[in-house]
Amino acid sequence: MEFFVQLLIDGLTLGGMYALIALGFTLVYGILLMINFAHAEMFMTGGFIGYGVLNLLSNESTIATASDFFAPLSILQSTQPFFTTTALGFILMMLIVFGVAAVLTGLLGMTIERFAYRPLRNSPRLCALISALGMSLFLQNFVLLAVGHRMVFPTPEFLANLNAVPLFGSIRIAPIDLIIFVTCLVLLFTLDRFVSKSKLGKAMRATSQDKDAAGLMGININSVIALTFFIGPALGAVAGTFFGLKYGVVTFNMGLFPGIKAFTAAVLGGIGNLRGAMLGGFLIGVLEALASGYLSIAYRDVITFAILILILIFRPGGLLGESVVEKV
Amino acid sequence: MKRKLRFILAAMVALALAFALVACNGDDNGYENGDDARNGDTTTFVIGFGGPISQGAVSFGVGARDATLLAVEQANASDEARDLGIQFRVVEGDDQSDPSMAPQVAGALISERDLVGVVGHFNSGVTDPAGLVYNEHGVVQISYGSTRPDLTHMGRDNFFRTCATDALQGPTAADSAWELGFRTAVLIDDSSPYGEGLAAAFKEQWENIGGEILLEERTAQQESDFAPVVTRINAADPDFVFFAGTYDSSSGAGAMFARQLKDGGFEGPTMGGDGIQVDGFITEAGQQSEGTIATKPGMPIEDMPEGAAFIEDFVALTGNTPGGFDAFAFDAANAIINAVYEVARADGVDNVATPAGRRAIIDAVAGINFPGVTGPVSFDANGDSANPIVSTFLVDGGEWIIHPDVSTP
Amino acid sequence: MTNTKNTSKNTTAAYEDQAVKGKPSAAEAVFGNIAKPMFSGKKATTPLKIALTALLLVVLFVLPIYLQGMGEALLLASLVGIGLYVILALGLNIVIGYAGMLDFGRMAFYAVGTYAAIILAIPLANLLGPSLEGLVFPVVMVGAGLVAAFVGWLLSLPVMRLRGDYLAIVTLGFGEIVRITLQNNPFDLTNGLLGLPKSGDFMPSPPFFEYLRDTVQWAIGNEFFFTVTRNVYWYYMVLIMLIIAIIVVRNQDNSRLGRSWAAMREDEVAASAMGVNITKAKTWAFVLGAFWGGIAGACFGFFLGGISPEPFSFLNSVIVLAIVVIGGMGSIPGVLVGGVLIMGFPELIRWFAMNHLGQAGGDIQSMVANFRNLFLGLLMVIMMAVRTEGLIPMKPKFYKLFGKAKSGKGDNSDASAATTGAAPKGGAGS
C-alpha cells in the first residue's frame, strides 16, 4: 500500500509538469487547430532562461562576470546571501526566476507565432506542422550553439538544506516535489478561472469556437492568438525551470520526451479542452509511475506511446473532448 | 518546362561535379604538402582521433581529443622525434556517438596519406564499424574507451585498447562491494552498451561470491525522471545500488539518478563504474553525490609516476582537469607514437606511412611496453590491455578519493 | 518487388474494381507502366535531356573510381550515406508527396529493414555454406524490404481513420516504440544495445565482393591507385538500388495507383466520392514507402557490417523528412537534390575542415553538425512560409478525358492545358 501511495505521489509530481506543458498544446490547438510541435522547445528554453536568471541571482562568479559587462548588476552581490539562505529571500528569488523565465519565453512564443505560423494560417494544416517541427529543430540547435548542450542547474542553498517531508509511514515527499505540485495546482486553477471568467478568457473561447464570427463581434483575433502563444509558453517555461530545479540539469534536447508525453496528455484529456489537459497530465504521470513501478521503467515510454496511439485511434476526442466531425 | 528540366539536370550535374572538383583541388594541396614534408628535414605523420565531439557522449570525446593533442605536442617537442626527423599532427574525426557516421569518419582518417594510426573511438557501437575500415586498410586502431568485451575477439589483429573491459571492471566492483560489507544489491543499467556489459559482468561475479540481487532494472536513455525506480529501490531496501552507466544526461544519467536516489530518501550508497568516476558526476549530482563509490581501471593517475606531470600539462593545455578516459587516450596516442619511432628506426622514416610500414606499426604496438599514465602499457594476444588493475574510489568532500576501506588488488 | 506482386494479387484486384474501368495486371498496379512513360510521347524526352541524364550517369559511375583512386574515402563514404538517405526519402516521398500523409517515424522502417536483413542473413549464410555466400545479401535485401512492407501494412491498419496531424504524431510514437523495443532485446533477437551480429557470428560478404577486391587493381603513377574497397562496392550497390528505386517509384506515380494518390492528396472526401478507394490507396502508400525503407536498411546494415539501435533516432527521421520537404514534396529530382544538399553539404565542409584547416578543423567539424541542424530547421520554417512546394516542385499533372495523354508536340486544344494557360508547350506530360 505504501509502495502504491509513494508511486502515486511520484506520478502526481511528474504529472503536474506534464499538465503545465500540455496546457500550451491544448490552448493553441483549441484556437488554431494546430499542433505546435515547437512547444516542447518552449519548455526547454524556459529551463535555460531559468538557469541563467537563477545563476545571476545566486551564483557569485556569474554575478561577478555579469557586473563586468554591466556595472549596476553588481548590486546583486549584496542581495545574493539574502536570496540563497533565507526563506523569504528564497521565495522572492523563485518568484523572480519564474517570472522572468515565463515572460521572456512567452514573448519568444509570440515572436514565433508572428513570423513562423501567422503566414501559414490559411495554408494546409500539414504545412504548419512541418514549420513547427523546423522551428523546434532550430531552437534546439540555437540553444546548443549559443549556450551549450548541458548546463548544471544551481541548487539554492536554502532548498538544499530542506529535509524531505514525511507524510505517514515511510511515505515522504521531497521539498521540491511539494513545491512543484502546489505551484502547478495554483497555476492550473488560476488559468481555469482566467479563461472562464475574465473578458480576455471569454474572447479566447469565442475565437476558438468560430474565428470569423468572433472577429465580426469586435474581437481582435490576432491579439487573442498572440495572447494564447504567450500563456502557453509561459506555463511551459515554469515547467522547464522546475525541471532544472528537480533534476539539476538542463539539456538542449530535454524538450522532446516531456513534449511528446504532454501532447499525449493533452490528447488523452481531449485536445482543445483545458481541464482535459490538466486531467490528462496527471493521469499520464500516474500511469507512467505505476507502469514503471509494477512493470519496468524501460518500457515506460512504450506504454505512453501505446496509450497515445490507442486513444487517437479509438477515441480521438479524448476523455473530456467532443468527437470532431471532419467537414468538407 | 523544358527550361526547368534543363536547370534541374544542370544543377544535379553541377553538384556531382562539385564533389569531384573540391576533391581534385584538395588532393593537389595534400600532395604538395606531403612532398614538401618529404623533401624537408622532418616528416609529419598523422595520428587520427575518433570520438564524439559535437553530439553524443561529448564529455568523453573532447577530453580524450585534448589528451591526444597533448601527447602529440609532447612528442613533437621530444629529442627522439627531433633526432629521427619526425613530427606528428592530429586529424580529428567527430563521430557524434552515431554508428552510421563511422564509415565517413573512418574514411576521412584513412584518406590521410601519412596516417600511422588511429586513437579511437569511444562508443563501442562506433568502434566496431569504424574498425572494419581500419582493418581493411591495415591501420592500427587503439580504442581508449570502448569497453565492450567482444571487440578484441573479432579477428582484427590491428585492434587494441588501453582501457579495461567491462568483463574486468564488473568483478572488481563486486569484490569491493563485498569487502565493504554489502550483501544485497539493486542493479540498474542505463540502456547503453557500456551499461549493459558492465551490469552483466558485475552480476556474474556478485552472484558467484554469494551476493544477492533484489531487483534488476533498466532506465531508458534520455530519461530524467527516476522517481518510480527510487520508490522500487526503497521498497526492496538493498545495502547499495549498483548503477551501470555513464553519468551525464546526454548519454546516461548517473548523476540525475544518484541525486534522485538521495532525494527519495535512500540511505545506502550508489556504486558505479568508470562511467561515473568523473568530476562532472559530482558537479551535476551536487551534495547528493557524497558517499558514491566507483571503480576505474588503472591506478589513480595522481599516484602514478607520470600522473602528476600529465595532470599538470593537461590543465595547462585545456584549463580542465583530465577525467573519464582522457588518460587512456593519452596512453593510446603514446603507444602509436612509440611504435612509429620503433619502425622509423628499423626501416627508415620514409617507409613508415607505407602498407608495409603500417603492418610493422601494428606488430610494434602488439609488442609495446612502456610506463604510461595509467600504469604500464602493453597488450595481450587479443589486443586487450595487459594492465589489469582496477581501483575503487569514493566521493568524499566533493572529490574522488581512493576508497580507504578497500584493499587494492 | 516481384514477391510483392505475388502476395498482393487479391488485394490489388479488389482495388482495381474500385477504380476506373480497364484491368491492368497486378504488376502494372505496383510498378506502373515501366516502359511507357519513359519512351512514349508522354514525357518531353528531348535529346538534351537524354544527353544530360547520360552525362549524369557517367559522372556517377566514374566518380568513385576517381575518388577511391585518389584515396578520398570520406567523400566516397559520404556518397554512400547520401544514397541510402535518398532511397529512404524516396520511400517517404511516396507517403508524403504522393499520398499526402505525414510520417514522422521513417526510421522505424529503416530499422526494421536493417535488423531483418542481419537477423535473416546469419542463419541463411550457415545454411547456404561458404560457396553460396554471395546469394545471401540479395535474398535478405528483398526479405528485409518485404518485412518492412509488412510492418508498414500493420501500421496502416489502425491509422486509416486518423487525420493528417494525428497521423504524424502516431508515426512519431511508432518510430520511438520500434527503437526502444530494439534496445530491449525482444525474444533475444536484437541483442539489445550491444547490437548485431552477436559475438561469434560474422556477416556474410556480399556477392562478388571478395572476387572484385582481389582482381580489380588499377594504378596510374604513384598517386592514383584503385581497388574495390567496401566503400566502392557499396557505392555501386546503393547507386544501382537508387536507380531501380527511382524508376519504380516514378512509374508508380504514373500508374492508376499514383493517380488515386494524387486525388486523395488533393481532397480525400472528393476523391472518395469519385470512386477512389481511400483505404487501399493509403495502405499501398504505407506498404510501398516502407518497402524502400527496408531495402535501404538492408544495404545500411551490410555497409556498416553490423548494427545497434543508436542511428534510428527521431532526429534522423526529421532529417529524412527535411530532405523531402526542402527538396520538394512529390518531386523525385527534388528528393535527389534535397538529399545531396542536406546530407552532402555538411560532409563537404567536414572534408574541407579535415583536409585544409589542420588543428582548427576539429572545432569547425563539430560546429558543422550542429549548424546543419540549425539551418535545416530554419529552412523548413522558411520553406513553408515562402515556397511550400520545395526547391524543385512537383510537376502538375494534366490528364485528358479521352484518348492518350497529350504528347509533347503541342495539341493545344486540350482542355486542361487551356485552363492552366501558363503551362508551356511540351511540358504537359505527367
Side-chain angles (χ1 to χ4, degrees):
Chain A
M1 185 60 203
E2 283 183 358
F3 181 62
F4 178 78
V5 175
Q6 185 71 55
L7 283 178
L8 217 55
I9 293 175
D10 298 340
L12 287 175
T13 327
L14 193 60
M17 270 199 273
Y18 289 161
L20 282 182
I21 311 172
L23 281 173
F25 278 115
T26 225
L27 276 171
V28 170
Y29 195 91
I31 290 186
L32 285 183
L33 288 184
M34 162 194 168
I35 299 174
N36 182 11
F37 208 83
H39 185 62
E41 306 321 322
M42 298 293 106
F43 163 75
M44 182 271 295
T45 319
F48 270 82
I49 295 175
Y51 155 81
V53 180
L54 185 55
N55 255 332
L56 196 58
L57 293 179
S58 67
N59 187 331
E60 281 158 32
S61 64
T62 315
I63 296 174
T65 324
S67 313
D68 290 344
F69 281 107
F70 187 60
L73 282 179
S74 54
I75 192 171
L76 293 172
Q77 225 118 35
S78 49
T79 54
Q80 189 260 348
F82 166 71
F83 277 144
T84 46
T85 48
T86 62
L88 182 66
F90 173 73
I91 295 170
L92 210 59
M93 177 170 72
M94 283 298 116
L95 285 179
I96 299 175
V97 169
F98 284 109
V100 175
V103 169
L104 287 184
T105 315
L107 290 177
L108 177 68
M110 284 166 69
T111 319
I112 290 174
E113 190 273 329
R114 178 67 191 80
F115 291 102
Y117 304 151
R118 196 175 291 179
L120 297 177
R121 212 173 279 166
N122 295 319
S123 312
R125 263 196 291 208
L126 297 190
C127 291
L129 190 55
I130 293 172
S131 181
L133 182 65
M135 188 45 87
S136 158
L137 197 60
F138 173 79
L139 284 174
Q140 264 188 33
N141 286 280
F142 182 79
V143 170
L144 173 67
L145 288 165
V147 188
H149 75 288
R150 204 175 83 255
M151 291 293 142
V152 177
F153 211 90
T155 310
E157 238 176 279
F158 177 78
L159 186 65
N161 293 335
L162 285 179
N163 289 319
V165 185
L167 295 180
F168 60 91
S170 68
I171 311 277
R172 34 192 279 148
I173 179 164
I176 179 70
D177 289 351
L178 198 62
I179 298 175
I180 292 176
F181 189 66
V182 172
T183 318
C184 287
L185 285 185
V186 170
L187 283 176
L188 297 181
F189 182 77
T190 319
L191 183 73
D192 191 60
R193 292 292 90 186
F194 171 77
V195 172
S196 53
K197 297 283 180 225
S198 78
K199 209 166 183 179
L200 273 173
K202 283 177 184 163
M204 281 169 76
R205 284 187 294 145
T207 313
S208 83
Q209 276 179 6
D210 190 330
K211 271 207 284 290
D212 298 331
L216 291 173
M217 296 296 121
I219 295 170
N220 185 341
I221 304 296
N222 280 340
S223 2
V224 169
I225 291 176
L227 177 70
T228 313
F229 272 91
F230 180 87
I231 297 176
L235 292 174
V238 173
T241 310
F242 273 139
F243 182 96
L245 275 177
K246 181 167 158 67
Y247 302 124
V249 178
V250 281
T251 61
F252 78 101
N253 57 1
M254 75 185 198
L256 180 63
F257 276 81
I260 296 173
K261 286 170 181 170
F263 177 77
T264 309
V267 172
L268 178 64
I271 194 152
N273 183 318
L274 284 187
R275 287 177 195 173
M278 299 174 197
L279 177 71
F282 286 113
L283 264 182
I284 290 283
V286 170
L287 274 176
E288 279 197 347
L290 293 181
S292 32
Y294 287 103
L295 300 168
S296 163
I297 198 169
Y299 280 102
R300 161 156 96 177
D301 296 338
V302 174
I303 291 165
T304 318
F305 291 132
I307 292 175
L308 171 66
I309 293 179
L310 291 176
I311 291 174
L312 284 181
I313 291 163
F314 294 109
R315 196 178 157 78
L319 295 178
L320 302 185
E322 305 139 23
S323 58
V324 187
V325 180
E326 190 82 357
K327 278 173 281 188
V328 180
Chain B
M1 205 51 116
K2 217 188 274 176
R3 190 177 302 155
K4 193 169 258 171
L5 266 177
R6 211 176 302 168
F7 166 75
I8 293 164
L9 281 169
M12 286 174 69
V13 173
L15 276 165
L17 283 177
F19 257 80
L21 277 178
V22 204
C24 180
N25 169 34
D27 240 288
D28 290 348
N29 287 354
Y31 177 55
E32 280 161 24
N33 290 344
D35 223 28
D36 286 349
R38 284 195 187 102
N39 291 339
D41 293 322
T42 56
T43 309
T44 304
F45 292 121
V46 170
I47 292 180
F49 171 83
I53 306 288
S54 65
Q55 285 174 10
V58 177
S59 40
F60 294 102
V62 174
R65 189 259 326 259
D66 294 341
T68 310
L69 286 174
L70 178 65
V72 162
E73 203 169 84
Q74 290 179 355
N76 285 343
S78 72
D79 294 340
E80 202 160 11
R82 208 171 36 240
D83 295 345
L84 284 164
I86 293 178
Q87 290 285 289
F88 296 95
R89 72 185 170 91
V90 176
V91 170
E92 57 184 84
D94 172 19
D95 64 34
Q96 302 175 16
S97 293
D98 182 352
S100 55
M101 298 293 285
Q104 274 102 309
V105 171
L109 297 178
I110 286 302
S111 46
E112 294 289 340
R113 33 189 88 223
D114 295 313
L115 185 73
V116 289
V118 176
V119 178
H121 294 230
F122 175 71
N123 303 72
S124 298
V126 182
T127 303
D128 183 4
L132 213 54
V133 179
Y134 303 131
N135 187 46
E136 187 182 21
H137 290 82
V139 174
V140 66
Q141 175 190 13
I142 308 185
S143 170
Y144 58 90
S146 295
T147 48
R148 195 171 91 193
D150 75 334
L151 281 173
T152 40
H153 299 83
M154 303 179 90
R156 298 180 193 159
D157 63 353
N158 66 324
F159 180 75
F160 303 90
R161 58 179 148 201
T162 45
C163 57
T165 67
D166 307 327
L168 190 71
Q169 218 189 118
T172 315
D175 291 340
S176 301
W178 187 265
E179 193 184 338
L180 288 168
F182 302 137
R183 293 298 176 262
T184 53
V186 164
L187 181 54
I188 311 276
D189 84 64
D190 75 340
S191 283
S192 68
Y194 162 76
E196 195 173 282
L198 181 59
F202 170 83
K203 184 181 174 189
E204 196 185 339
Q205 174 73 3
W206 182 246
E207 287 180 339
N208 270 345
I209 55 179
E212 196 184 344
I213 290 183
L214 302 176
L215 173 69
E216 270 181 83
E217 192 42 301
R218 153 179 288 183
T219 67
Q221 281 187 306
Q222 291 191 352
E223 190 66 68
S224 38
D225 184 75
F226 301 105
V229 184
V230 172
T231 304
R232 285 182 84 175
I233 291 171
N234 277 329
D237 195 25
D239 292 341
F240 78 111
V241 175
F242 190 81
F243 180 85
T246 44
Y247 79 98
D248 72 344
S249 47
S250 54
S251 51
M256 281 188 182
F257 177 77
R259 186 187 176 104
Q260 289 175 44
L261 196 58
K262 278 277 162 346
D263 279 346
F266 181 70
E267 305 287 345
T270 308
M271 189 167 180
D274 49 356
I276 65 169
Q277 204 281 344
V278 189
D279 288 340
F281 173 80
I282 300 175
T283 331
E284 279 194 21
Q287 283 180 348
Q288 286 94 329
S289 67
E290 286 294 305
T292 304
I293 307 165
T295 54
K296 189 179 181 184
M299 300 283 285
I301 46 180
E302 297 83 354
D303 300 352
M304 297 303 293
E306 318 275 330
F310 168 69
I311 295 175
E312 197 174 300
D313 294 339
F314 193 90
V315 172
L317 180 75
T318 65
N320 303 316
T321 49
F325 293 81
D326 302 353
F328 292 113
F330 185 75
D331 281 351
N334 276 324
I336 295 175
I337 289 167
N338 287 339
V340 169
Y341 290 156
E342 206 178 310
V343 174
R345 267 195 298 270
D347 304 335
V349 172
D350 289 343
N351 292 323
V352 172
T354 59
R358 286 175 180 165
R359 181 69 248 172
I361 294 175
I362 295 175
D363 297 337
V365 169
I368 216 152
N369 193 349
F370 68 94
V373 173
T374 55
V377 176
S378 58
F379 301 102
D380 65 13
N382 291 325
D384 276 323
S385 166
N387 167 26
I389 301 167
V390 177
S391 316
T392 309
F393 294 80
L394 170 76
V395 180
D396 184 34
E399 59 181 332
W400 289 105
I401 59 163
I402 281 282
H403 202 300
D405 304 329
V406 176
S407 54
T408 320
Chain C
M1 282 311 291
T2 45
N3 298 31
T4 322
K5 180 183 77 182
N6 294 335
T7 54
S8 63
K9 232 164 197 162
N10 296 334
T11 46
T12 319
Y15 154 65
E16 279 155 8
D17 290 338
Q18 293 284 332
V20 199
K21 285 284 178 201
K23 283 203 173 187
S25 67
E28 208 179 340
V30 178
F31 285 97
N33 305 326
I34 288 194
K36 275 189 214 157
M38 291 205 69
F39 303 110
S40 74
K42 272 177 110 179
K43 286 268 174 209
T45 322
T46 61
L48 180 74
K49 190 188 159 192
I50 293 175
L52 281 174
T53 315
L55 179 66
L56 182 69
L57 280 177
V58 169
V59 169
L60 284 176
F61 271 93
V62 174
L63 196 59
I65 300 179
Y66 174 76
L67 289 177
Q68 180 61 41
M70 303 308 280
E72 292 293 349
L74 164 63
L75 293 182
L76 203 50
S78 311
L79 287 172
V80 180
I82 295 173
L84 289 171
Y85 265 67
V86 169
I87 299 180
L88 261 182
L90 280 173
L92 182 62
N93 192 32
I94 296 179
V95 180
I96 295 185
Y98 296 161
M101 300 183 288
L102 211 45
D103 181 350
F104 279 8
R106 193 55 4 194
M107 282 295 139
F109 305 115
Y110 199 38
V112 166
T114 312
Y115 272 89
I118 296 179
I119 290 171
L120 292 175
I122 286 159
L124 190 64
N126 293 336
L127 191 73
L128 290 177
S131 55
L132 290 173
E133 205 182 348
L135 274 178
V136 173
F137 175 68
V139 171
V140 298
M141 180 171 68
V142 176
L146 292 179
V147 172
F150 177 71
V151 172
W153 176 72
L154 280 184
L155 179 67
S156 76
L157 291 180
V159 301
M160 261 323 134
R161 304 193 302 164
L162 291 183
R163 277 204 327 264
D165 40 5
Y166 278 6
L167 179 70
I169 301 292
V170 168
T171 49
L172 191 166
F174 178 70
E176 287 302 308
I177 288 179
V178 166
R179 189 178 61 82
I180 296 168
T181 311
L182 292 176
Q183 273 182 9
N184 289 328
N185 196 8
F187 311 114
D188 203 26
L189 270 180
T190 65
N191 205 18
L193 293 143
L194 298 181
L196 293 172
K198 292 178 187 169
S199 186
D201 290 339
F202 289 94
M203 297 285 286
S205 87
F208 306 118
F209 173 59
E210 278 160 5
Y211 172 77
L212 288 169
R213 186 187 61 194
D214 297 339
T215 47
V216 182
Q217 288 184 344
W218 300 330
I220 305 174
N222 285 332
E223 295 304 322
F224 185 93
F225 180 67
F226 174 77
T227 53
V228 179
T229 57
R230 292 175 57 82
N231 284 338
V232 174
Y233 182 86
W234 286 107
Y235 175 90
Y236 282 115
M237 187 59 87
V238 169
L239 181 61
I240 291 167
M241 291 320 296
L242 178 60
I243 291 172
I244 295 176
I246 291 176
I247 293 174
V248 173
V249 168
R250 198 177 125 105
N251 288 293
Q252 269 160 4
D253 186 31
N254 288 326
S255 67
R256 167 166 300 134
L257 189 57
R259 291 193 291 277
S260 54
W261 283 336
M264 181 173 85
R265 175 186 65 220
E266 298 306 332
D267 191 330
E268 200 173 308
V269 180
S272 167
M274 297 308 286
V276 173
N277 186 334
I278 297 292
T279 313
K280 284 278 157 16
K282 279 187 176 175
T283 311
W284 273 113
F286 260 104
V287 168
L288 294 172
F291 177 81
W292 291 111
I295 295 283
C299 295
F300 177 60
F302 271 73
F303 173 53
L304 282 191
I307 197 63
S308 50
E310 291 106 329
F312 307 111
S313 61
F314 173 61
L315 176 68
N316 285 342
S317 289
V318 175
I319 287 174
V320 180
L321 181 73
I323 291 177
V324 176
V325 168
I326 292 172
M329 285 182 272
S331 145
I332 292 176
V335 170
L336 293 178
V337 172
V340 172
L341 269 184
I342 290 168
M343 300 298 292
F345 198 59
E347 293 303 323
L348 265 185
I349 300 177
R350 173 206 285 277
W351 175 88
F352 184 77
M354 290 181 86
N355 280 276
H356 296 285
L357 299 177
Q359 224 78 295
D363 301 327
I364 292 181
Q365 268 183 68
S366 48
M367 280 167 74
V368 167
N370 299 330
F371 268 107
R372 174 185 72 169
N373 295 342
L374 186 83
F375 282 120
L376 273 191
L378 202 57
L379 260 180
M380 282 164 87
V381 175
I382 295 173
M383 218 51 155
M384 284 302 113
V386 297
R387 199 177 159 90
T388 319
E389 67 273 24
L391 281 178
I392 301 179
M394 168 169 52
K395 281 175 284 177
K397 294 184 186 208
F398 303 108
Y399 293 110
K400 256 186 92 171
L401 201 50
F402 299 105
K404 284 187 177 271
K406 198 179 65 148
S407 76
K409 312 211 163 49
D411 166 17
N412 276 339
S413 60
D414 187 280
S416 59
T419 51
T420 53
K425 263 190 184 181
S430 50

